[in-house]
Amino acid sequence: GQQVMQIPQYQHVQEGEDFTTYCNSSTTLSNIQWYKQRPGGHPVFLIQLVKSGEVKKQKRLTFQFGEAKKNSSLHITATQTTDVGTYFCEGGSTLGRLYFGRGTQLTVWP
Amino acid sequence: EPEVTQTPSHQVTQMGQEVILRCVPISNHLYFYWYRQILGQKVEFLVSFYNNEISEKSEIFDDQFSVERPDGSNFTLKIRSTKLEDSAMYFCASTLVLPYNEQFFGPGTRLTVL
């Protein structure tokens, strides 16, 4: 069945370093959403990408949706300790189902 | 700011018992979802609900599960006969209009099956 694979599972960076997490789907997605989940918290919506090749920015965060709408990435420039958490992608299939990636757990050392 | 609420925050039950998890979505939202997250694992989609019927459900959402919107505000997830592996955090979410707009998540209900 359809899956959304997300790598890496864990990432430890020094404050100020960049961070990237990648999501890949086995099939074409209708859209992709990105969420951040703090330890003990619930997923909080960050952004939605719909168009092929779309790039969106939110301050230090850059989100990309691949041309084939099968992959996506989230890049954080110059990480801060407040960026700590798990970042999930969620792909929407053409049939309307939703698939979460496994998440990338980001740790930022001061 | 409007928010999704869920009750209870923690539910402990014996294996084989029925549980009902309750959610109050944001009042003008039309699409509702249930997800679960087993400790330390990824969030898993269970079901989406629109116009008083299920829109989509995952393989996890078998006959043990059911959802209902009994009135204009509550959205419930029922697990008929709980199993140990049902222990997880259950999140409710809602969106305003389209199914893939921003989903607002509730704080979750931690279900522990003994």
Side-chain angles (χ1 to χ4, degrees), chain A residues 31 37 48 90 95-97, chain B residues 35 37 43 45 56 59 100:
Chain A
N31 51 74
Q37 185 177 25
Q48 182 188 59
E90 178 195 41
L95 296 176
R97 291 194 180 183
Chain B
Y35 295 85
Q37 187 177 31
V43 178
F45 169 73
E56 279 295 327
E59 295 80 12
Y100 303 130

Side-chain angles (χ1 to χ4, degrees), chain A:
Chain A
Q2 177 157 15
Q3 291 187 53
V4 172
M5 309 300 292
Q6 188 172 358
I7 57 169
Q9 189 175 349
Y10 303 97
Q11 185 82 58
H12 309 281
V13 299
Q14 198 83 36
E15 190 173 21
E17 292 181 339
D18 292 355
F19 160 76
T20 306
T21 174
Y22 302 89
C23 279
N24 289 287
S25 169
S26 54
T27 59
T28 303
L29 299 169
S30 290
N31 51 74
I32 196 156
Q33 288 70 240
W34 284 93
Y35 295 83
K36 178 182 178 181
Q37 185 177 25
R38 289 186 180 276
H42 59 272
V44 174
F45 176 86
L46 295 176
I47 209 152
Q48 182 188 59
L49 303 171
V50 179
K51 299 176 186 174
S52 168
E54 190 168 15
V55 178
K56 287 189 177 179
K57 293 191 175 187
Q58 287 180 352
K59 297 183 182 178
R60 296 177 294 105
L61 277 61
T62 302
F63 304 85
Q64 291 188 321
F65 201 11
E67 294 289 341
K69 299 182 74 173
K70 286 187 173 183
N71 57 74
S72 181
S73 64
L74 157 59
H75 179 81
I76 303 179
T77 305
T79 53
Q80 300 173 358
T81 53
T82 52
D83 295 327
V84 164
T86 300
Y87 292 85
F88 290 96
C89 61
E90 178 195 41
S93 77
T94 52
L95 296 176
R97 291 194 180 183
L98 300 168
Y99 300 89
F100 269 87
R102 186 175 184 156
T104 296
Q105 190 174 315
L106 174 64
T107 305
V108 180
W109 295 330

